[in-house]
Structure formats: structure tokens, C-alpha cells
Amino acid sequence: MVVDDEADNLDLLYRTFRRDFQVFRADSALDALNLLDQVGEMGIIISDQRMPKMNGTEFLSHVARQFPDTIRILLTGYTDVEDLVNAINAGKVFKYITKPWNPEDLMTVVQQAADTYRVVKQRTNELHRALRRESIFNKVSTATRESLDYQSMMQRIVEVLGQTFGATCVLHPVEQDTEGVIGDDGNTYRLLPNLFSFGHASGEVAKAPVLPNDALLAALQSRRVQLSESDEQETRLALPLIYQQELLAIASLHRQGQAIAWSEEDLDLIQEVAERVALAISQAKLYQRIQRQTEQMQAELAVARQIQTNLLRQSLPELDTAKIQACCHPAREVGGDFFEVYEHPQGDLWLGVGDVSGKGVPAALFMASAISVLRREIYQESPPDPAQVMQNLNRSLMDDLVSNNCFITMALARYSPATQELVYANAGHIYPMVWSVNKPSAEPLYLKERGVPLGILPVWKAIAGRLTLNPGDLLLLTSDGITEATLAHPHAAGNSLMLGQPGLWELLKQQPQPLDLSKLLSCIQSQSHAQEDDQTILSLEVL
């Protein structure tokens, strides 16, 4: 689909792609949204940025929420850094192309987008087919998932097999050993003494194996289904349960009477079910080991969280001229948010809040790198200004960020108490806010000088902002985990609403004075169903 409010551009885009693609067109973002409601998901959407009522970034952010697989391409007639930042953060665009475009280059980009979309959809369809196939074994899967420990899992499996196939069932666990029966695969196996059994007729535990040793040993050796009948009109079946070439157990089942002998359909079905049962047994055997590994991993993550917490300032400067507060809460054990507060020996105060894209351990590793490089810069005897620090950070981290498909947003400020001057630089981060606590009715000032996130362009450039902070002025830096928090709201769709910076300001006005960031963060978290992103907030109040 192509979206542009200029008819000539819209027609040109349509004619460019109509021979190779089925093309839908819309002359506004609202018409495009209506078309998506009627037609459904589009593989690729090319949208102009400058459109009335709803611009391209806003439109593509709607598309990203409704159709996350759609490949989004943004066109603009301006090399606008603000548009680029918003497109990356909100629209999640595949490519950002300036007008006038080269038709051949645009066609190449669209072909790449189409290839990407086909791969994504192919994998999605394969997953859907696998889920449909798994639904056939829903009864077995549900039953085996009810128990996680090995003993209860094995007993539940034998009950499900007996009930599903109307047979008495005994499950014989198997393990590889140096002594035992040599199988056709060359490995040596032995039957373990602990049996799990179920008697179909009574619904109770069977008291003895239903197959003689020779039948079990034949199944153990051949790793194939063994079927036999006795003089007592019993039809007996030995079913090896194999997962990833490993023989885990042998299920022995028998039915009484010739009228209910095993049919070809029964045999086909039971062998299909055997794959799922073998998987369940494998899961049961691995459960305790996984549980131990999980406990070890949790302990290691707890250590990692403590290390990451120690990287942040544990104590903040106590000054006569300013009051500083900071809070940082990762969404997981570790996260990508960070803050920095540093009182330089020359008297300047450095404050920064950063956010590495993604969550968890990868983001935490980049967070550690970013904060170490930042401190290297500002700890110098004569540190550069915030904009130059950003350039140096981008240069130091660029290769690693690009190779791992990550970026960092960051707001960095230097406050000089002697002159009351605040100098700041912003790399694609949430706008810092400034207001006077002595003027509760005044609106906040949003510091809107901003460049692209670190790790996007080889050379980072942006204009540094400057202003004077007077006594009573308060500077607030936050991460997007604060402004994108979803709060309960009875009148909103889905009874929840994203906070946003306007909503944050409303919460700030409701807070008792003096402002306590920990109470503000607790207020936000108490109204959220779940913390979906790292949350960091930092303030500087001039006294």
C-alpha cells in the first residue's frame, strides 16, 4: 500500500510497483487505516511523512501495533532529524527514504522488504501448521503437562496411554548401561526396576507386567514395536518410546479378547502418540536437571543484578545549591536503563539518563559499556561539553551497537552552580522537563534540542541546548519506561492508557511537595498492570 496526500506522488508510486505487486493506495493516513480495516494486513506500506491530520510516523505506529509483520517504509521531503528519531522510536520503520527518490533504489528497497516479509510469514505459517498438528495430541499433551516431576509424570503418562487406547499399560523405564541388552543401534540398554502401571479394567494400578521378559527384550533390542497374541485371547504390544534417537522407555499394553485386537489404525495412531509421549518422558527426565540449572541461573542473575546496581550511584551528592534524586527499576533481573550523577572537582554537576534498546542481559552488557565510556569522558580534568561527549560515546560504541542491531537513547546535562547555566545534549531520548516549583500553575518547559540515538549514524551531530536555572527550578530526566507505562483508566479503550509526558505532568502536579521520586515511581507502578520496560527517573532541583 502507498500513502501520500499528493496525487502526483501517489500515482507515481502506484505505477512504479503495479506490475510486480498488488498495490493499494490511499491519499491520507485515515483513509489508509480504513482500507486496512477492510482489506487486512499489507505486506509493505510506503507512507509519506508530511500529511494533514495524521503524519506518517503516527500512522505507521498505528500499523505497527495492529500488524507487526508489515514492513514499513517512510518517505519525507526533508532530512528532519526529529522525524528520523520519531520514526525509529514510534513507527519502527524498515527504511527511511528522502524525496526525491531514485526509482531503481526504491524498487530495490521494496524488493528487500518483500523478501523479508515473505520469510517472516513463511516462518509464521510453519508455526501455525505445527500448532494445528499438535492439537491432534491435545489430550496427551494436557495430561503430561499436569505433572512436572519425574515420578508423577511417568504415572500420568501410563494412565493416559491406558485410558486412551483402552488397555492395561505398564511403563518400563530404560537407561544406557555397560551391562544389558545390545540394541540394533549399538548401544547397551537395561530395564530399570521401577515400573509405572495402570489397569484398564479396574482403573487401578496394575500389579505386574503384562508382557513376558522375552517380548520386552525383543523390543529393547530391535527398538521396534512388538505385537503378539497369547492362548488366553490377549493381544500384547511392546512400544519403544524414542526421542531424538534415545530409547527412554518401553510401554507394554494388552487388550483382552480377539474382538478388540490392535488394528492398523490403532498401530499408526499409537506410534504417532509415542513421539509425544517420548517427548514428555524426556521432559520429565530433564526437569530436575533444568530446575537445578534454573536455580543456578537465578542465583547468577541475582549476582548480575547486584553488580549492575553497584554500577549506578549508590549515594548522590548532597549540596547546598541543589537537591538530586534518582531511581532505576529494571523490568527483569537486569536491564538496559542507567543514570549517572557526578560532581566534578571543578564544581560542575553532570547528570544523565540512558536507555539501551531491548531488555535483559544483552541490554545490561551495553549499559555497562555505555556507563564506563561515559565516566571516562566526564572524569577528565577538563571534560568536553555534553554534545562532544555524545559524539565520543557514539564513536566508541558504534561498531558494537550496529553489529548487534542495538542503539542507545540518552539525555546528558551539565549544570554549573556558579553560573546557574545548564548545558544539555539529547540522543533520541525523552524530552527533559523543566519547571519552577514556586509556580505550580505554570506549564513545564520541554527541552527539545535533540539528535538521533547513539549507534544509528556514523557521526553523531546535534545542537547543544542551553538555559539558566533559577532557584526553585526543577529538571526532570526520565526513560521511556515511565512515559510508556500503561495505567489503569476506566474511560479508555481496554480500561488502560499510556501515560505519556502530558500524563506524567498531571501526576507530578498531584504529588505533594517537596517532590519525592520514589513515591512518584511507586504511584506509577501501583496503577500499572505490569512493568513492561525498565523505569528510570532523575531530578535536579536548584535551591
Side-chain angles (χ1 to χ4, degrees), residues 380-391:
Q380 298 180 51
E381 183 177 352
S382 298
D385 61 43
Q388 184 61 50
V389 171
M390 288 291 196
Q391 290 183 14

Side-chain angles (χ1 to χ4, degrees), residues 64 77-78 91 99 134 141 193 211 231 334 380 412 428 432 456 492 501:
Y78 304 88
K99 299 178 182 177
E134 288 297 316
S141 299
L211 284 181
D231 296 337
V334 292
Q380 298 180 51
L412 180 65
I456 298 296
Q501 285 199 291

Side-chain angles (χ1 to χ4, degrees), residues 246-425:
E246 181 184 0
L247 180 60
L248 303 173
I250 294 179
S252 59
L253 301 95
H254 83 284
R255 287 173 169 175
Q256 195 78 26
Q258 294 181 352
I260 51 174
W262 298 97
S263 64
E264 290 295 329
E265 182 178 348
D266 287 334
L267 294 176
D268 291 340
L269 180 58
I270 199 170
Q271 290 189 75
E272 290 179 356
V273 171
E275 297 178 5
R276 178 52 56 87
V277 172
L279 172 61
I281 294 175
S282 176
Q283 291 173 336
K285 291 181 68 175
L286 291 174
Y287 174 72
Q288 290 182 342
R289 186 175 72 183
I290 293 174
Q291 189 176 38
R292 289 193 295 267
Q293 291 174 343
T294 300
E295 292 172 354
Q296 181 181 358
M297 185 181 300
Q298 289 174 343
E300 291 173 353
L301 284 174
V303 174
R305 180 165 189 164
Q306 186 60 48
I307 293 173
Q308 185 180 37
T309 300
N310 292 340
L311 285 174
L312 303 176
R313 296 296 179 187
Q314 302 303 299
S315 61
L316 301 176
E318 296 183 3
L319 308 170
D320 296 332
T321 56
K323 177 183 177 181
I324 302 172
Q325 301 180 68
C327 297
C328 182
H329 288 269
R332 301 178 183 173
E333 285 81 356
V334 292
D337 273 17
F338 61 94
F339 70 85
E340 175 62 356
V341 177
Y342 176 60
E343 183 183 11
H344 196 274
Q346 295 180 356
D348 291 342
L349 283 174
W350 287 85
L351 307 101
V353 169
D355 182 4
V356 181
S357 61
K359 302 179 184 68
V361 174
L365 294 175
F366 275 114
M367 167 267 186
S369 296
I371 204 167
S372 64
V373 176
L374 173 63
R375 287 174 177 170
R376 182 191 68 193
E377 293 292 325
I378 64 177
Y379 282 15
Q380 298 180 51
E381 183 177 352
S382 298
D385 61 43
Q388 184 61 50
V389 171
M390 288 291 196
Q391 290 183 14
N392 296 343
L393 278 170
N394 188 74
R395 183 173 58 252
S396 298
L397 301 173
M398 181 71 186
D399 290 343
D400 289 337
L401 289 171
V402 170
S403 63
N404 289 276
N405 197 27
C406 291
F407 59 86
I408 300 175
T409 67
M410 184 176 177
L412 180 65
R414 183 188 65 200
Y415 174 65
S416 301
T419 62
Q420 296 183 326
E421 181 186 42
L422 181 79
V423 182
Y424 69 92

Side-chain angles (χ1 to χ4, degrees), residues 211-228:
L211 284 181
N213 286 336
D214 57 347
L216 289 173
L217 294 178
L220 193 64
Q221 182 177 15
S222 66
R223 294 163 56 98
R224 295 185 179 89
V225 175
Q226 300 293 317
L227 185 62
S228 64

